[in-house]
Amino acid sequence: MITCTLTYRTDPYQVDAFETYAKVWIHLVNKLGGMHHGYWLPHEGANDIAYCHFSFASLAAYEDYRSRMTQDPECQAAYAFAERTSCIRRYDR
């Protein structure tokens, strides 16, 4: 099993938009063969950081997911939503 961790720098004024984006990706990761473990947004302290974790059975399965997501219309719509709303300032995978 391989678990991926993403750290997001979010726009603290776009929390609702980020939540919408995050909920879509939970479905998409699961649809494309992974297991999404959820998002964590700190309640106290920095209000512009969020963490995400999801797993795949193997590195090959993760690489297949990365390839398939570039062709998936729902994935592309999620990326477009994040860009349109500017809810994500940057992320590290």
Side-chain angles (χ1 to χ4, degrees):
M1 177 180 287
I2 183 170
T3 300
C4 302
T5 299
L6 279 80
T7 303
Y8 291 95
R9 292 282 180 178
T10 62
D11 180 339
Y13 299 104
Q14 295 287 338
V15 173
D16 291 342
F18 182 77
E19 183 177 358
T20 297
Y21 172 84
K23 286 180 179 179
V24 167
W25 276 105
I26 291 171
H27 159 73
L28 292 173
V29 167
N30 294 335
K31 175 182 106 168
L32 294 174
M35 176 188 297
H36 205 293
H37 305 295
Y39 289 83
W40 290 264
L41 288 91
H43 177 69
E44 296 177 357
N47 65 350
D48 66 342
I49 298 175
Y51 302 98
C52 165
H53 303 285
F54 53 93
S55 299
F56 286 87
S58 65
L59 180 57
Y62 171 70
E63 290 172 343
D64 180 61
Y65 155 79
R66 295 282 292 162
S67 176
R68 291 172 50 210
M69 68 187 270
T70 64
Q71 305 302 314
D72 186 280
E74 288 181 282
C75 293
Q76 297 311 305
Y79 283 131
F81 174 82
E83 189 172 312
R84 187 172 60 254
T85 61
S86 299
C87 63
I88 300 169
R89 293 182 172 167
R90 67 170 263 183
Y91 69 94
D92 297 309
R93 181 180 303 273

